[in-house]
Amino acid sequence: EELVGEALAPVRDQVVIATKFGFDIESSTRLQRGLNSRPEHIRQVAEASLQRLRTDRIDLFYQHRVDPDVPIEDVAGAVKDLIREGKVKHFGLSEAGVRTIRRAHAVQPVAALQSEYSLWWREPEQEVLPALEALGIGFVPFAPLGKGFLTGAIDANTKFDSADLRSIVPRFTPEARKANQVLVERIGEIAGRKGVTRAQLALAWVLAQRPWIVPIPGTTQRHRLEENLGAADIVLTRADLDEIDAAL
């Protein structure tokens, strides 16, 4: 947040800043001690974030994870108070189920839900996306590139560091990667015919699912950021989407 605040200070009114609350982080060691969405803690986090971000408002304030020890109505109420005070503009949830979303939305309208969604992980289509559409809530998919798998940069022989979360995810076992390699190859074939990269095709597919979806692919390299942004200019026809679905 300190880096983001410094970088965006000159253009603050031209950007939307989102940040999160919900974890109990020890201040001196910065180690996570579990979840904490108690109303008083939400306020403390908001005040600290405002200082670090060098701003007078947080545009989108997400609950990072649903806290089973705090009723979601209390969480929504705490954010509602911050919105009333002008310190927060919009309320977001992350990886919440439909029932939780509806309960929160009844207290304070939820602006966005952040959860995993990609060609490789389509579970939100079953219940979450229909509920969001009915309630008028935006969707912000993380890992829209399948945590890198859909780019073609990972195969069955790729080794993950023990600190890499993918090392413990079932979809990233060597056997699973080998079985799913055919999907990456098919995406590559379709992308090649359209003159785009695998990553751009995967992002364009996510964008084509609903007009209120905004994926957030992660990257540490500027040229990959520019590549990802290019996906916004790709138009997939119904035939393209049908071909991609058939490849799955």
Side-chain angles (χ1 to χ4, degrees):
E1 286 181 335
E2 290 171 349
L3 288 172
V4 169
E6 179 181 356
L8 297 183
V11 293
R12 176 63 186 95
D13 293 335
Q14 302 173 45
V15 297
V16 172
I17 295 179
T19 192
K20 296 179 178 179
F21 65 88
F23 283 128
D24 188 5
I25 300 175
E26 208 284 319
S27 58
S28 60
T29 64
R30 298 194 177 184
L31 293 177
Q32 182 184 319
R33 298 183 296 194
L35 299 174
N36 187 346
S37 280
R38 289 179 290 108
E40 61 271 25
H41 185 67
I42 294 173
R43 179 171 290 278
Q44 291 169 4
V45 172
E47 297 288 0
S49 289
L50 287 169
Q51 287 191 2
R52 288 190 293 264
L53 290 167
R54 303 186 187 186
T55 186
D56 60 351
R57 79 278 187 194
I58 296 167
D59 297 305
L60 178 56
F61 204 29
Y62 287 104
Q63 182 189 37
H64 206 141
R65 291 290 183 277
V66 175
D67 187 339
D69 295 327
V70 182
I72 195 64
E73 290 83 359
D74 292 353
V75 174
V79 177
K80 185 172 187 173
D81 289 341
L82 291 168
I83 291 174
R84 187 182 296 117
E85 296 167 19
K87 296 176 180 178
V88 169
K89 294 184 70 175
H90 301 286
F91 176 34
L93 295 173
S94 181
E95 298 200 79
V98 170
R99 184 168 179 269
T100 298
I101 295 168
R102 291 186 182 280
R103 287 170 54 197
H105 194 72
V107 176
Q108 169 59 44
V110 177
L113 173 75
Q114 185 179 132
S115 290
E116 183 173 358
Y117 183 51
S118 70
L119 276 166
W120 204 27
W121 183 257
R122 300 178 65 172
E123 186 178 80
E125 294 175 354
Q126 298 173 23
E127 296 183 357
V128 171
L129 290 186
L132 298 184
E133 188 154 30
L135 295 171
I137 299 172
F139 188 42
V140 182
F142 69 79
L145 298 177
K147 297 181 172 68
F149 185 73
L150 297 175
T151 67
I154 297 170
D155 60 25
N157 299 314
T158 301
K159 304 296 182 184
F160 295 113
D161 184 271
S162 60
D164 191 319
L165 287 176
R166 291 173 294 188
S167 66
I168 60 172
V169 175
R171 277 177 287 159
F172 281 92
T173 63
E175 297 77 16
R177 280 179 271 149
K178 183 177 181 180
N180 284 306
Q181 195 62 39
V182 63
L183 169 60
V184 177
E185 292 171 358
R186 290 291 292 120
I187 291 173
E189 293 170 5
I190 298 170
R193 291 203 305 273
K194 293 192 71 67
V196 301
T197 67
R198 288 185 179 92
Q200 289 174 327
L201 185 73
L203 290 172
W205 179 88
V206 172
L207 287 166
Q209 300 311 300
R210 301 288 195 285
W212 36 267
I213 291 180
V214 181
I216 48 171
T219 184
T220 59
Q221 302 177 65
R222 180 166 181 164
H223 74 280
R224 292 301 185 196
L225 171 62
E226 293 170 346
E227 176 186 344
N228 291 341
L229 289 172
D233 297 323
I234 298 171
V235 177
L236 296 179
T237 65
R238 184 68 259 171
D240 291 330
L241 293 171
D242 289 343
E243 183 178 6
I244 294 170
D245 280 342
L248 301 178

